[in-house]
Amino acid sequence: MSAAYEELPFSEFLHRPAAAADRLANVRALRLRRRDAGDLALTRADQLEQDAVVVDFTARLLAGLVRSEPDDVIRRVLGEALPWVTFLPGPDVDQLLTELITVAQGAASLENLSPIAVLLTQWRHTAEVYADPVLLEILTREPAGDLGRVPVPEGGQ
């Protein structure tokens, strides 16, 4: 295999599916570009299974490292992998590690990486808030005064 993926118009895939499938001998996946919707990816089933094995191994390795290595080593490695971690307070880094291990193991067992991507995006946004003193102050200050009555939710009592 020479490339990670190759782009292909979705219409070409529809017109010549066998030729497109044959291209998977040279790339890990085909990115099928669509005009009016998100792109799709086409990959071989064995490639998907291999990727799942790697993700499961990585999740287990991460969990083992966090359990066995000193905190400073884990924090340094995490900072190299996710440079924005530098803006998180210490307790938040600990919480990120705990959540990352749990979510990575769960996602690997489901063979669905989306929860890991969502978690990392959420924590990156948290780091963005901590990196901006003005935004952090706005989001963490107590509201001034009485905010008034809270309406009863519809369907509630």
Side-chain angles (χ1 to χ4, degrees), residues 24-131:
L24 288 173
N26 299 318
V27 295
R28 288 175 45 95
L30 292 176
R31 183 181 188 135
L32 305 175
R33 289 187 325 267
R34 300 189 298 171
R35 286 188 199 133
D36 299 329
D39 292 350
L40 300 176
L42 179 66
T43 189
R44 294 182 330 275
D46 66 328
Q47 183 64 55
L48 192 62
E49 291 164 359
Q50 290 171 3
D51 292 350
V53 168
V54 171
V55 170
D56 184 57
F57 163 75
T58 304
R60 291 174 190 276
L61 179 66
L62 175 63
L65 288 171
V66 169
R67 281 193 300 272
S68 65
E69 291 298 320
D71 287 350
D72 61 321
V73 172
I74 298 301
R75 286 173 182 269
R76 187 179 70 245
V77 173
L78 186 64
E80 291 173 12
L82 305 170
W84 46 258
V85 166
T86 193
F87 297 107
L88 294 174
D92 284 8
V93 174
D94 295 338
Q95 184 177 349
L96 164 60
L97 279 169
T98 300
E99 290 179 11
L100 185 57
I101 291 165
T102 303
V103 170
Q105 288 176 322
S109 72
L110 294 174
E111 298 181 4
N112 178 359
L113 303 182
S114 295
I116 301 169
V118 168
L119 178 75
L120 290 173
T121 299
Q122 291 170 336
W123 276 107
R124 183 175 49 83
H125 290 319
T126 300
E128 290 170 347
V129 170
Y130 278 109

